[in-house]
Amino acid sequence: MNAENNRDESLHLFIVLSRACEWVTAHAHRDIRRHGMNPTEYAVLELLYHKGSQPLQQIGGKILMTSGNITYVVDKLEQKGFVVRKPCPEDRRVSFAEITEKGRAFLDEVFPQHREAIEAAVAGLNAEEKREAIVLLKKLGIAAQESFK
């Protein structure tokens, strides 16, 4: 394979991957909005639901969001009664976000439906193809991350 064909295939892969991501994400976002949340609010709440209390300063990195937006999102989740802030006893500069019982009950109800929406979005692949895609996309992501440094 010559270098020109490799460049063309790389560009084609980028376009196909971007479009697939866009449409799968559209399914997820539509489902999240049905429940009166935006995708960032849902991502923060889901992180706290699955991983427990988190320092505000670290949430952004875990959900691929800027830290400035996290304060705003946590404020909105607090207003809905889904999250509370707790000060760190060892370091008063650090605050934790913690899911409330109301937030946990909300996700107990909507997460199974959200899982079904994701399953529908990726139903174009069978189980074996999904496993292959996971392996290949992890490999691609790791290589892209390492070459970015």
Side-chain angles (χ1 to χ4, degrees), residues 22-50:
E22 183 178 328
W23 282 111
V24 170
T25 300
H27 281 258
H29 288 186
R30 180 177 62 189
D31 180 68
I32 290 165
R33 286 188 182 99
R34 277 185 333 116
H35 301 290
M37 298 190 93
N38 70 45
T40 307
E41 291 171 324
Y42 188 86
V44 171
L45 193 60
E46 189 179 20
L47 171 71
L48 300 175
Y49 181 82
H50 290 291

Side-chain angles (χ1 to χ4, degrees), residues 33-71:
R33 286 188 182 99
R34 277 185 333 116
H35 301 290
M37 298 190 93
N38 70 45
T40 307
E41 291 171 324
Y42 188 86
V44 171
L45 193 60
E46 189 179 20
L47 171 71
L48 300 175
Y49 181 82
H50 290 291
K51 301 292 184 182
S53 181
Q54 300 288 315
L56 289 177
Q57 299 83 345
Q58 294 178 12
I59 291 174
K62 292 182 180 181
I63 64 163
L64 306 176
M65 185 97 217
T66 63
S67 60
N69 288 346
I70 295 303
T71 300

Side-chain angles (χ1 to χ4, degrees), residues 11-31:
L11 290 172
H12 189 213
L13 172 61
F14 175 74
I15 291 166
V16 169
L17 183 61
S18 296
R19 286 185 179 151
C21 183
E22 183 178 328
W23 282 111
V24 170
T25 300
H27 281 258
H29 288 186
R30 180 177 62 189
D31 180 68

